[in-house]
């Protein structure tokens, strides 16, 4: 997500810190069934992913790459097309990878490095989690609320396992660092900006890296992320005194004002929509499923706008320029809160996940939120 910062968007990225001592690391092995394929060896750094070397594989599929030994653990990857094997390099070690294409990302063996064996375990677990999430979504038997609840249970169980079995057991190791930046879809599994427990995990690894890898830019990077997360958590906790929208009390409870600038710079007030049925939608345009959701909202807008339906969409995107681009052609009211996920509205409307929406009647009464709505079309008709 753009709101996480470029540091996090690359997954497990950080700046390379390479020694000039002349010592070398080596990555070698073979990839079966990949004749004439180009195997790339790439460094994953703070400024993005950069190619270190490449080789066109012959029938044997053998390869070897080497480079200057880093002063602290660094991360690289082997890649053919979209098949990726993540590797950590520590000092002068030799890492041997034997893989089989085209399932190289899951069908490989690693030797010469206990750290990379752990990284393989984590990578396979992440792929399994992603597959389970996709299967859950495609099952088609759950309501949106049930899907979110089931997904969160899966993710939380995964986090507990990874924290206890990989991160807290050896937070100074490169596989612990790798685990912090795993993703599901485009979302970080561990949220270092808003989840107080996840912030503690980042802080534990940051402290350990300060001790075992003093002066390493990765450690400094972790430290900065943890400090920012602690600040965010304190801000959110200070806002807990603000009344939130309780689902059990939401029926005919009145509406909490939203007053924000739209994509043309005009101030828009939610209460000014009195006399219309309003679908209040909280959204992030940088989410993977955003295009699909926007198409769905267009269907409702086109069908019911003439009868009195208005969509009041609140963006929590951090990137204003991107938001303006994505909303330029939308016909409904599009506003943005510059505080993004730190918005007071997150607390006021008790937003547990995004996207989220509410229905408001013609008298400015907030009637229901998404988890209370089984048939949105029918609910809109009823209010119109």
């Amino acid at each position: 997500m753009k709101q996480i910062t470029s540091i996090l968007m690359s997954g497990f990225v950080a700046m390379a810190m390479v020694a000039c001592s002349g010592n070398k690391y080596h990555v070698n092995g073979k990839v079966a069934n990949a004749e004439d394929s180009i195997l790339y060896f790439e460094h994953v750094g703070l400024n993005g992913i950069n190619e270190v070397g490449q080789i066109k594989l012959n029938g044997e599929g053998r390869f070897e790459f080497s480079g200057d030994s880093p002063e602290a653990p660094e991360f690289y990857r082997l890649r053919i097309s979209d098949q990726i094997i993540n590797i950590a390099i520590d000092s002068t070690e030799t890492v041997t990878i034997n893989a089989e294409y085209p399932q190289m990302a899951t069908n490989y063996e690693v030797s010469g490095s206990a750290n990379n064996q752990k990284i393989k375990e984590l990578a396979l677990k992440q792929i399994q989690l992603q597959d389970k999430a996709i299967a859950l979504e495609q099952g088609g038997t759950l309501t949106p609320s049930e899907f979110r609840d089931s997904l969160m249970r899966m993710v939380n169980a995964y986090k507990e396992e990874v924290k206890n079995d990989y991160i807290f057991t050896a937070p100074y190791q490169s596989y612990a660092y790798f685990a912090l930046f795993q993703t599901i879809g485009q979302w970080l599994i561990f949220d270092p900006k808003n989840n107080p427990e996840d912030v503690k995990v980042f802080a534990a690894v940051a402290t350990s890296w300060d001790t075992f890898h003093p002066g390493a830019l990765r450690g400094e990077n972790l430290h900065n992320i943890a400090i920012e997360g602690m600040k965010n958590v304190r801000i959110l906790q200070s806002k807990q005194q603000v009344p939130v929208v309780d689902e059990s009390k939401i029926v005919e409870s009145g509406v909490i004002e939203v007053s924000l600038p739209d994509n043309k710079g005009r101030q828009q007030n939610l209460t000014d929509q009195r006399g219309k049925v309003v679908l209040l939608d909280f959204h992030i345009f940088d989410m993977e499923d955003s295009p699909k959701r926007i198409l769905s909202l267009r269907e409702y807008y086109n069908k019911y706008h003439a009868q009195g339906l208005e969509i009041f969409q609140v963006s929590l995107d951090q990137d204003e320029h991107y938001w303006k681009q994505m909303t330029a052609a939308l016909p409904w009211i599009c506003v943005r809160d510059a505080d993004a996920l730190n918005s007071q509205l997150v607390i006021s409307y008790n937003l547990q996940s995004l996207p989220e929406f509410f229905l408001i009647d013609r008298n400015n009464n907030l009637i229901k939120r998404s988890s209370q709505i089984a048939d949105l079309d029918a609910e809109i008709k009823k209010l119109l």
Side-chain angles (χ1 to χ4, degrees):
M1 292 179 61
K2 286 185 173 60
Q3 63 266 31
I4 296 297
T5 78
S6 61
I7 293 175
L8 306 185
M9 283 189 58
S10 296
F12 52 89
V13 300
M15 179 77 75
M17 189 172 183
V18 179
C20 300
S21 63
N23 293 327
K24 299 286 185 179
Y25 67 83
H26 301 273
V27 178
N28 58 33
K30 67 178 182 178
V31 182
N33 303 326
E35 186 175 3
D36 294 329
S37 296
I38 303 297
L39 176 67
Y40 296 92
F41 183 54
E42 299 168 325
H43 171 245
V44 184
L46 178 60
N47 295 319
I49 297 171
N50 299 302
E51 182 181 322
V52 177
Q54 61 172 268
I55 184 173
K56 185 175 182 179
L57 298 173
N58 60 22
E60 293 186 354
R62 295 192 178 279
F63 66 88
E64 181 169 2
F65 300 101
S66 63
D68 293 333
S69 299
E71 294 180 356
E74 264 306 321
F75 292 93
Y76 297 82
R77 69 184 198 177
L78 294 168
R79 179 178 65 84
I80 299 178
S81 186
D82 62 349
Q83 291 291 299
I84 294 170
I85 297 174
N86 294 303
I87 300 170
I89 298 296
D90 188 1
S91 188
T92 59
E93 66 183 351
T94 296
V95 181
T96 300
I97 302 288
N98 291 308
E100 186 170 342
Y101 195 71
Q103 286 81 37
M104 184 176 83
T106 56
N107 192 6
Y108 75 93
E109 297 296 329
V110 57
S111 58
S113 171
N115 254 303
N116 282 297
Q117 182 58 47
K118 293 289 189 180
I119 286 176
K120 175 189 175 182
E121 293 173 12
L122 285 164
L124 293 180
K125 288 179 181 294
Q126 179 190 18
I127 291 171
Q128 291 169 1
L129 176 65
Q130 185 76 42
D131 289 344
K132 289 179 182 179
I134 292 172
L136 185 68
E137 183 179 25
Q138 294 178 345
T141 59
L142 300 178
T143 66
S145 177
E146 290 171 337
F147 168 74
R148 288 193 296 270
D149 289 345
S150 297
L151 180 61
M152 288 308 301
R153 283 195 293 271
M154 288 168 46
V155 171
N156 288 334
Y158 181 88
K159 288 163 67 171
E160 285 302 309
E161 178 185 3
V162 170
K163 280 194 297 185
N164 294 327
D165 295 348
Y166 292 89
I167 297 177
F168 288 153
T169 55
Y172 55 89
Q173 296 285 12
S174 53
Y175 63 80
Y177 188 102
F178 175 85
L180 293 179
F181 296 101
Q182 288 191 295
T183 60
I184 180 169
Q186 295 182 343
W187 294 82
L188 283 170
I189 293 173
F190 289 96
D191 175 8
K193 285 185 70 71
N194 303 293
N195 186 312
E197 294 304 314
D198 292 354
V199 172
K200 292 177 184 178
V201 178
F202 269 78
V205 178
T207 301
S208 187
W209 274 60
D210 284 345
T211 301
F212 286 87
H213 311 294
L217 293 182
R218 287 186 181 275
E220 294 177 7
N221 179 45
L222 278 180
H223 221 98
N224 291 336
I225 293 172
I227 290 172
E228 182 183 0
M230 291 175 187
K231 291 179 180 177
N232 289 341
V233 167
R234 283 196 293 269
I235 291 171
L236 289 174
Q237 288 175 340
S238 70
K239 295 178 178 178
Q240 293 301 315
Q241 302 300 322
V242 179
V244 300
V245 178
D246 186 340
E247 289 191 32
S248 65
K249 300 176 181 178
I250 211 167
V251 177
E252 297 183 354
S253 61
V255 69
I256 298 171
E257 179 68 288
V258 177
S259 182
L260 292 167
D262 66 14
N263 49 7
K264 296 178 177 61
R266 299 170 302 197
Q267 197 72 12
Q268 297 283 356
N269 299 314
L270 178 59
T271 54
D272 289 345
Q273 304 308 310
R274 187 180 184 91
K276 301 176 183 178
V277 172
V278 178
L279 193 158
L280 173 62
D281 185 67
F282 290 92
H283 191 76
I284 293 178
F285 283 86
D286 194 34
M287 293 176 65
E288 185 175 8
D289 292 335
S290 176
K292 180 180 177 180
R293 180 171 178 79
I294 294 301
L295 286 175
S296 176
L297 290 177
R298 273 188 178 273
E299 291 181 10
Y300 290 112
Y301 187 87
N302 293 340
K303 188 175 182 180
Y304 294 117
H305 179 63
Q307 300 176 45
L309 174 70
E310 184 57 80
I311 296 176
F312 195 102
Q313 189 165 51
V314 182
S315 163
L316 298 179
D317 288 85
Q318 189 173 42
D319 189 330
E320 181 180 10
H321 179 68
Y322 181 79
W323 163 70
K324 285 185 175 180
Q325 285 185 315
M326 293 298 101
T327 60
L330 296 182
W332 53 77
I333 298 170
C334 299
V335 300
R336 171 180 168 271
D337 193 323
D339 289 336
L341 292 178
N342 292 324
S343 168
Q344 177 63 54
L345 295 172
V346 172
I347 303 297
S348 298
Y349 276 90
N350 194 19
L351 302 181
Q352 302 298 317
S353 61
L354 292 171
E356 176 63 289
F357 69 87
F358 301 80
L359 279 180
I360 300 167
D361 70 12
R362 293 181 185 272
N363 294 315
N364 271 350
N365 290 313
L366 201 156
I367 302 301
K368 291 182 179 180
R369 72 189 304 155
S370 64
S371 59
Q372 298 172 306
I373 299 173
D375 186 338
L376 180 56
D377 194 271
E379 293 289 347
I380 292 173
K381 284 181 181 179
K382 187 190 304 182
L383 293 176
L384 290 172

